Amino acid sequence: MLVGVPKEIKDHEDRVGLVPSSVRELVAAGHKVMVETNAGRGIAVDDAAYAAAGAVIVDSADEVFAKADMVVKVKEPQAVERKKLREGQILFTYLHLAPDPEQTRDLLASGATCVAYETVTAANGMLPLLAPMSEVAGRMAPQVGAAALENANGGMGILLGGVPGVLPAKVVILGAGVAGTNATLVAQGMGADVTVVDRSLDALRRIVASFGSRVKTAHSNAETIAQLVTDADLVISTVLVPGAAAPKLISRKLISEMKKGSAFVDVAIDQGGASETSKATTHSNPTYIIDGVVHYCVANMPGGVARTSTFALNNATLPFTLALANKGWKAALKDDIHLANGLNVHAGKLTYKAVADALGLAYTSTASVLG
């Protein structure tokens, strides 16, 4: 199979679909790999490293999309890229379709087979291709939240960890999954007063087992969220429903009742966000202020630390990339129900129910597609 890797074009997106070691594995398995020139520049990997691993370096994304049997990316294809997809081509990347009807329509029109990293599952119920980026985004969240609290960025001018004689910031983390746990790790490590909220008692028990008395926990309900959010200096939302739009846990009214100069970091913004005031931003212009609350809603947070993120992502995606290349999409999906759960679009059909429900579109089961 000919596998193509274009350079990412989303704002400040410097990650890349394959690293040289992944290219080497694909070539050793008998496949050909083409990489757009300078695709790895943002992770300090030059064309020579890709060529040494066996890739062919090409001058443009046009050539990658025109020739590749499978395109491996990181972020959802932008409008100009979607026009280059073709019938029968495999696209393997993050998609996040539930809050994005325009992308969904374009992918359906392309006729391509689109497998989304974020809905591939594992036997333990986890999302193995989302987890590494959730780890990165979770660890970044207290950092960017701390910056948002600075006066220069519109914040109240509070140091997350405080100093002797001055109380630390109150940080509320919504969600005790992978991102929430990693946000907790960093926030409490920075000395903040941290409370984690989740509706799963098992998840909260895991937080207590990991952090003990350094972190407080609370069961999630509307009243508790309202009380904690309005008292917080920094709120970090990590709540996610796999493949579906993120639940709106925070209303516009609740935002208006938060402290002036407090901050809100929405890690799940790529699935639509957890607040009625959430709207996707970029690394070029990451924050905005509503009702005195600084919102950080960058839709590709891990792109801010592209080298770490790319290698972490490749560690997780490579076995699935090899399976798709070795067997072809249909056989690979038939052999692995967890990879099959990643199929979102095939030949003009929407095959992920949560996306179909969110967008009010017709749904076709993966089982019927696979026959």
Side-chain angles (χ1 to χ4, degrees):
M1 182 178 286
L2 178 54
V3 180
V5 182
K7 189 177 188 300
E8 297 291 326
I9 61 173
K10 188 166 182 150
D11 181 81
H12 276 72
E13 182 50 78
D14 292 316
R15 289 174 290 179
V16 60
L18 295 176
V19 295
S21 59
S22 298
V23 170
R24 196 178 301 277
E25 293 291 327
L26 283 161
V27 171
H31 304 291
K32 297 179 180 179
V33 181
M34 62 166 56
V35 177
E36 183 182 355
T37 186
N38 294 322
R41 176 179 289 178
I43 63 167
V45 176
D46 60 19
D47 290 349
Y50 280 104
V56 174
I57 308 301
V58 298
D59 292 332
S60 69
D62 288 342
E63 190 169 355
V64 172
F65 281 94
K67 295 181 178 180
D69 301 307
M70 175 166 64
V71 175
V72 178
K73 283 175 42 61
V74 178
K75 285 307 291 178
E76 72 280 356
Q78 303 302 288
V80 66
E81 295 174 311
R82 299 195 293 265
K83 294 177 181 177
K84 298 172 184 176
L85 292 167
R86 66 177 190 275
E87 185 175 350
Q89 195 169 47
I90 303 168
L91 174 66
F92 193 34
T93 189
Y94 288 114
L95 293 177
H96 301 293
L97 294 179
D100 195 345
E102 183 179 350
Q103 183 196 175
T104 304
R105 286 193 298 269
D106 287 351
L107 294 184
L108 290 169
S110 74
T113 296
C114 306
V115 182
Y117 293 160
E118 72 272 12
T119 61
V120 173
T121 56
N124 62 1
M126 301 293 286
L127 302 171
L129 307 192
L130 188 62
M133 296 304 92
S134 295
E135 290 168 343
V136 172
R139 294 186 183 210
M140 287 181 69
Q143 295 180 192
V144 300
L149 287 171
E150 295 177 9
N151 291 106
N153 297 316
M156 67 176 73
I158 185 170
L159 184 65
L160 212 62
V163 293
V166 181
L167 292 172
K170 293 182 179 180
V171 177
V172 172
I173 298 173
L174 303 178
V178 175
T181 300
N182 280 270
T184 303
L185 175 69
V186 172
Q188 61 86 31
M190 295 173 76
D193 177 350
V194 181
T195 301
V196 180
V197 184
D198 200 288
R199 65 182 181 181
S200 167
L201 291 177
D202 285 340
L204 295 178
R205 289 185 182 108
R206 287 194 294 271
I207 292 292
V208 171
S210 296
F211 301 104
S213 60
R214 291 171 292 167
V215 172
K216 299 187 283 289
T217 60
H219 187 259
S220 180
N221 58 64
E223 181 178 352
T224 297
I225 290 174
Q227 291 174 347
L228 291 172
V229 165
T230 53
D231 190 44
D233 301 306
L234 169 62
V235 175
I236 298 171
S237 179
T238 68
V239 176
L240 174 74
V241 178
K248 298 296 183 187
L249 300 179
I250 301 176
S251 66
R252 172 64 186 265
K253 181 177 182 294
L254 188 53
I255 288 288
S256 72
E257 294 171 352
M258 289 177 66
K259 298 176 184 177
K260 304 307 177 188
S262 61
F264 171 56
V265 176
D266 200 338
V267 175
I269 187 62
D270 49 11
Q271 290 292 136
S275 171
E276 291 179 348
T277 56
S278 295
K279 59 182 180 181
T281 60
T282 66
H283 287 290
S284 295
N285 190 22
T287 63
Y288 58 93
I289 298 174
I290 292 180
D291 293 332
V293 178
V294 183
H295 291 58
Y296 179 100
C297 300
V298 174
N300 60 327
M301 285 179 67
V305 286
R307 184 175 173 90
T308 295
S309 297
T310 295
F311 281 91
L313 182 60
N314 268 243
N315 291 341
T317 57
L318 180 59
F320 298 99
T321 305
L322 281 167
L324 288 166
N326 290 340
K327 302 176 183 179
W329 73 269
K330 182 172 281 192
L333 269 57
K334 282 185 174 181
D335 287 350
D336 186 349
I337 184 59
H338 300 295
L339 181 56
N341 288 333
L343 186 67
N344 278 217
V345 173
H346 169 68
K349 298 176 180 178
L350 188 56
T351 57
Y352 201 82
K353 192 173 188 306
V355 173
D357 290 345
L359 299 179
L361 297 174
Y363 163 69
T364 301
S365 71
T366 295
S368 66
V369 167
L370 295 177

